[in-house]
C-alpha cells in the first residue's frame, strides 16, 4: 500500500464542515475563519517509550494522541475545530491502521473536529498533532491572569494515570480493580472542553495538568507573578488510592504525577458559586484546593497538619 | 537545562506580530484572523535517516525543516504567517540548539513567519512543523484545477537535490563543483512564495515538487481528471549534469528525484506572457515543459526523439 492509497482510504473521510474550503489531499488545507472568533493553536508530539508503550492498542493510542491536544484547547476555553496529524509508522499494517483511524475519527467527531491535513512517513512510531480551535474574540483562559486572593481549583481526579504508570514500572502494585480505574484514566483522559468554555466568563487563569499539578500550577504562578498555597489532602484523587498507597507515593502521583489532563484554574472568591455552576453545567467535578497568594513564584503545598509537603520532583521533565 | 528553560531561551523570542494575541508560553497560541483572508494549513514531519542525515549541520537542518513547509504555502499561492515546531531531540546541547534556532529564526523572519508554538521532547531526532498562511478569500492554487490545453510549467531547476543524494549514496560520483551546487540545492531549497503569489491570478493548478516531478504532476492529473505530455529535455536542470550523467541517471534525478521544492503548475496558453511576467516579478525562472491533455490520468513523458521515457520509479514512496 502506497502512502497515497493509505491517505485516501483511512484519512480522507468525508466530513461535513462548511468552513473547510479545501481539506486533505492538496498541498495545504484552506479554512474560512468565522467573523468574531480568534483562532487558537497547539501542537503536541508523542514518542514511543516516552509518551506511550510500544505495545499500546492502536485505538487507545489514537485516542490519547488526539485527546492531549484537545485538552490544550480546553485549557484555553476554546472549541477544537480542526486537526493535522503527522505520523511516523514502522509499516502500513492494515488492521492496525483501521483501528487507529477508527478510534481517531470517533474522538474527532465527538468533539466536532475535522482532520484537515497531515503527513505520514516510515519511521519509528511518533505522532504530532496540531490542533486549531475557536475562541470568542479577545477571550481566552490565559496562564498569566491569576490574581492574589483567587481560589485554586482542579477538575476531576488527579494522580490516577501516574499510579497506573508506577504499577507498570513495578514501583508499587495496585489491586486489579484500582489498577483498572487508573489505567483507564491513563489511556482515555477526558478533555475538559465543556468546562473550559463554561469557565470563560468566570475563571482568571487556567492550564491543563499534563506534567504534574505542582509544575503546571507553577507555570501559572510564574506567568502571573503570584504564589499559591495548596492543601494536598484537598486535591481529589481516586479514593481507593488513599488505602493502597503511602502518603509519599500518593502525594507523588497526585501532586507531581502528570498525564492527568484535568484543568487547574483560578477564580475570584466571589465566583465560587459560578464555578460550581460551570462544573454542573459541564457535568465535570470541580474542587477547590487552595488559594493564590502575593508570595511571588512561591508554591506552598501543605498537608492536613499545615506542614509543607516535600516532593521528590515537581513533575515530568521532558528531557530527563 | 530543563525544557522550559530551553523554550524560554531559544524559542521565546520577541517577534513583532500584531495579529498574535498570545504567543509561545501558554497552553496554546491565539491569533486574530484578518478580515478578507482564508487560512491555509500544512504539516510536514521530518525524520532522521529518512529525510536528513544524522550528521547534518544544525543550521542546514533547521533551514530545511521550515523551508519544506513554506514550500507548501508557496504551492497554494499563500503567504506564510505562523509556524508551530514539534521536536524530538536526543539531548539539549547548547551549541547545537543555538545554531539550529538561529538558522530557524533567520528563515522565519525572511518570510515574515512568527513561531507561535510547539513541543520539545527527548527522543530520536524528529521534527514536525505546522505552518499557517493567509490567502485572499476564495483564492488558492489547487491541485484539481488543471484544464486540457493548459501549458505545464516548472520553476527553477530540477534534479539537483537528487543528484547530490545519489553522490552521497555512491550511486554515481559528481565532480566537486557540480556536487557543491547540487548539495546546496538539497540543503537550502528556496521556497517559491513570491512566484506562488504572482501566479494566483494566472495559474490554474499548482503543487510543489517534493516527491519527484512525475509523481507530483500526476497528483494534479488525478485530481483534475486530465493527462499531460511532458518533454523530458525541456525540464530545466543544472546544465553540467547533462555532461556528467548518462540519460537514465539524469532523467531519474530530474523527473523522479524529488526534494526539489520547485513549483509545477499549469496555466492557459493565453497566459504565457503573464506567466513569464510572474516569473520576472518574483525573480524566479519559469520554464514551459509540456501541456495538459484530455487523456485522463495519463502522463506521457517524451524524449527529444518523441519516444516515451521509461522511469524506474515515479518518485519517492514514503513507505518503501
Amino acid at each position: 500500500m502506497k502512502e497515497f492509497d493509505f491517505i485516501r482510504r483511512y484519512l480522507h473521510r468525508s466530513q461535513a464542515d462548511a468552513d473547510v474550503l479545501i481539506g486533505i489531499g492538496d498541498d495545504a488545507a484552506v479554512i474560512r475563519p468565522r467573523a468574531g472568533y480568534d483562532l487558537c493553536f497547539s501542537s503536541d508530539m508523542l514518542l514511543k517509550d516516552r509518551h506511550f508503550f510500544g505495545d499500546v492498542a492502536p485505538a487507545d493510542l489514537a485516542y490519547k494522541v488526539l485527546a492531549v491536544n484537545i485538552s490544550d484547547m480546553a485549557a484555553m476555553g476554546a472549541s477544537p475545530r480542526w486537526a493535522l496529524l503527522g505520523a511516523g509508522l514502522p509499516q502500513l499494517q492494515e488492521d492496525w491502521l483501521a483501528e487507529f483511524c477508527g478510534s481517531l475519527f470517533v474522538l474527532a467527531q465527538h468533539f466536532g473536529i475535522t482532520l484537515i491535513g497531515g503527513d505520514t512517513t516510515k519511521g519509528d512510531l511518533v505522532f504530532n498533532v496540531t490542533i486549531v480551535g475557536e475562541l470568542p474574540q479577545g477571550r481566552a483562559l490565559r496562564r498569566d491572569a491569576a490574581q492574589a486572593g483567587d481560589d485554586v481549583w482542579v477538575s476531576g481526579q488527579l494522580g490516577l494515570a501516574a499510579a497506573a504508570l508506577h504499577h507498570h514500572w513495578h514501583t508499587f502494585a495496585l489491586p486489579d480493580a484500582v489498577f483498572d480505574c487508573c489505567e483507564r484514566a491513563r489511556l482515555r483522559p477526558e478533555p475538559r472542553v465543556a468546562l473550559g468554555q463554561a469557565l470563560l466568563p468566570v475563571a482568571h487563569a487556567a492550564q491543563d495538568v499534563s506534567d504534574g499539578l505542582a509544575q503546571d500550577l507553577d507555570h501559572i504562578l510564574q506567568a502571573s507573578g503570584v504564589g499559591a498555597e495548596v492543601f494536598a489532602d484537598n486535591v481529589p484523587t481516586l479514593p481507593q488510592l488513599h488505602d493502597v498507597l503511602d502518603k509519599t507515593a500518593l502525594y507523588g502521583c497526585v501532586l507531581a504525577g502528570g498525564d492527568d489532563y484535568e484543568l487547574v484554574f483560578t477564580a475570584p472568591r466571589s465566583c465560587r458559586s459560578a464555578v460550581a455552576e460551570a462544573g454542573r453545567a459541564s457535568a465535570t467535578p470541580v474542587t477547590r484546593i487552595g488559594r493564590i497568594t502575593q508570595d511571588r513564584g512561591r508554591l506552598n503545598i501543605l498537608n492536613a497538619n499545615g506542614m509543607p509537603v516535600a516532593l521528590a520532583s515537581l513533575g515530568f521533565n521532558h528531557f530527563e
Side-chain angles (χ1 to χ4, degrees), chain A residues 124-199:
Chain A
D124 211 16
L125 262 191
V126 51
F127 298 92
N128 193 97
V129 168
T130 299
I131 194 157
V132 186
E134 283 180 325
L135 269 170
Q137 266 194 8
R139 308 291 293 278
L141 299 175
R142 312 173 62 112
R143 281 187 192 172
D144 59 5
Q147 293 179 20
D150 280 0
D151 294 318
V152 178
W153 299 77
V154 294
S155 65
Q157 298 179 328
L158 270 61
L160 286 69
L165 211 48
H166 280 292
H167 180 95
H168 281 290
W169 290 337
H170 304 290
T171 322
F172 50 68
L174 299 172
D176 287 353
V178 177
F179 172 72
D180 288 349
C181 267
C182 292
E183 182 71 348
R184 185 166 172 83
R186 187 178 75 84
L187 294 173
R188 300 271 175 158
E190 226 176 290
R192 301 303 194 179
V193 172
L195 177 63
Q197 286 172 24
L199 289 173

Side-chain angles (χ1 to χ4, degrees), chain A residues 117-318:
Chain A
D119 189 25
T120 54
T121 196
K122 184 169 179 156
D124 211 16
L125 262 191
V126 51
F127 298 92
N128 193 97
V129 168
T130 299
I131 194 157
V132 186
E134 283 180 325
L135 269 170
Q137 266 194 8
R139 308 291 293 278
L141 299 175
R142 312 173 62 112
R143 281 187 192 172
D144 59 5
Q147 293 179 20
D150 280 0
D151 294 318
V152 178
W153 299 77
V154 294
S155 65
Q157 298 179 328
L158 270 61
L160 286 69
L165 211 48
H166 280 292
H167 180 95
H168 281 290
W169 290 337
H170 304 290
T171 322
F172 50 68
L174 299 172
D176 287 353
V178 177
F179 172 72
D180 288 349
C181 267
C182 292
E183 182 71 348
R184 185 166 172 83
R186 187 178 75 84
L187 294 173
R188 300 271 175 158
E190 226 176 290
R192 301 303 194 179
V193 172
L195 177 63
Q197 286 172 24
L199 289 173
L200 272 179
V202 182
H204 279 160
Q207 132 122 43
D208 72 331
V209 181
S210 55
D211 296 337
L213 175 65
Q215 187 175 141
D216 289 319
L217 176 55
D218 192 54
H219 295 154
I220 291 181
L221 305 185
Q222 300 292 343
S224 303
V226 294
E229 194 166 65
V230 164
F231 303 99
D233 295 300
N234 290 9
V235 181
T237 186
L238 188 72
Q240 297 92 309
L241 286 180
H242 283 279
D243 306 327
V244 299
L245 298 182
D246 65 41
K247 276 284 181 199
T248 306
L250 183 69
Y251 285 157
C253 290
V254 172
L255 302 171
D259 242 7
D260 298 300
Y261 304 102
E262 296 294 347
L263 300 188
V264 54
F265 57 97
T266 83
R269 282 177 62 96
S270 59
C271 289
R272 285 184 182 172
S273 61
V275 170
E277 179 49 35
R280 270 191 298 276
S282 60
T284 311
V286 290
T287 308
R288 195 153 45 83
I289 62 165
R291 62 188 188 87
I292 296 295
T293 66
Q294 294 185 313
D295 211 354
R296 192 187 179 88
R298 170 118 187 234
L299 173 57
N300 215 358
I301 304 180
L302 304 173
N303 67 17
N305 304 321
M307 299 299 289
V309 171
L311 293 171
S313 138
L314 275 190
F316 185 71
N317 177 341
H318 293 235

